[in-house]
Amino acid sequence: MAQSETPPSPDGTKRRDLLATGTLALGCAGACALAVPFLESLKNPAASFQSGGMLDVDLSSLAPGQDMTVQWRDWPVFIQRRTHEMLAALQKPTHLATLRDADSKIRQQPVDAANWHRSVRPDYGVLIGICTHLGCVPSFEKPGSTPGATGGYFCPCHGSHFDAAGRVTQRAPAPYNLPVPPVTFLSDTKIRIGRSAGEPGFSMSDIQQI
């Protein structure tokens, strides 16, 4: 006669529950650790003002080669002031050959940002700081901080690299370029995030993925 399975002991069940709880706690701790740099960066969003789904941001304190992060809706938004060297690096044929969507053919931006620099103006880049792989927040690679760093972004979770225009490399797990929000320049040093002057009807729901 076949013997019935011995039910798990209460001690064994408790051990499994404890292991599951510990794993969940470690996962939460890791997520919190990744969120800290983003939360820290939002403490001083350059005197930005938000109203009616629009966010006005003062760029006057942003020096060439620097990056700042603000929050628009529920997303971190990376704003960088590009140098001549950064812009030159974006156009190198050897660099373009490494990118998955170098010409921004996939709908990840308004029409006025569907260009080689993926922005309204070449000297300022504005990107949604959400990796298109699993939604992590990439970190800025300041120009010259490491060999080959030209102001792009690196996602430490799974190793996706994006250039200064938010274009993803071919071998990265992220399938798409970083999204570009709708942007209008109110002056040389102030932008409004939330409306595209070049495509007034643009909505973030129009893009392929965020």
Side-chain angles (χ1 to χ4, degrees), residues 41-203:
S41 69
L42 293 181
K43 286 183 177 180
N44 182 24
S48 58
F49 173 75
Q50 190 160 7
S51 177
M54 307 287 179
L55 177 67
D56 292 354
V57 184
D58 181 4
L59 307 175
S60 58
S61 63
L62 198 62
Q66 287 187 337
D67 175 90
M68 63 182 288
T69 305
V70 297
Q71 184 175 0
W72 174 61
R73 298 185 179 179
D74 293 326
W75 301 311
V77 176
F78 298 154
I79 305 172
Q80 67 173 235
R81 187 174 176 185
R82 299 164 177 156
T83 63
H84 294 299
E85 291 77 15
M86 292 167 69
L87 293 173
L90 290 177
Q91 302 177 77
K92 289 183 178 179
T94 51
H95 171 65
L96 296 176
T98 69
L99 303 176
R100 179 164 290 160
D101 182 19
D103 297 323
S104 299
K105 293 180 180 179
I106 297 174
R107 177 70 152 170
Q108 286 289 95
Q109 60 282 312
V111 294
D112 54 353
N115 44 50
W116 63 268
H117 46 86
R118 298 190 72 232
S119 56
V120 177
R121 280 176 39 176
D123 51 338
Y124 286 99
V126 185
L127 303 162
I128 300 291
I130 299 292
C131 179
T132 55
H133 179 219
L134 291 176
C136 302
V137 179
S139 57
F140 179 56
E141 294 184 303
K142 188 175 180 179
S145 58
T146 59
T150 54
Y153 297 89
F154 173 69
C155 185
C157 300
H158 300 94
S160 291
H161 281 269
F162 303 87
D163 69 6
R167 297 175 297 185
V168 68
T169 58
Q170 291 178 4
R171 296 185 180 182
Y176 305 111
N177 295 338
L178 293 179
V180 177
V183 171
T184 297
F185 270 84
L186 303 178
S187 70
D188 283 344
T189 57
K190 181 176 280 188
I191 61 171
R192 174 165 293 168
I193 304 173
R195 184 180 183 277
S196 167
E199 188 178 358
F202 176 82
S203 167

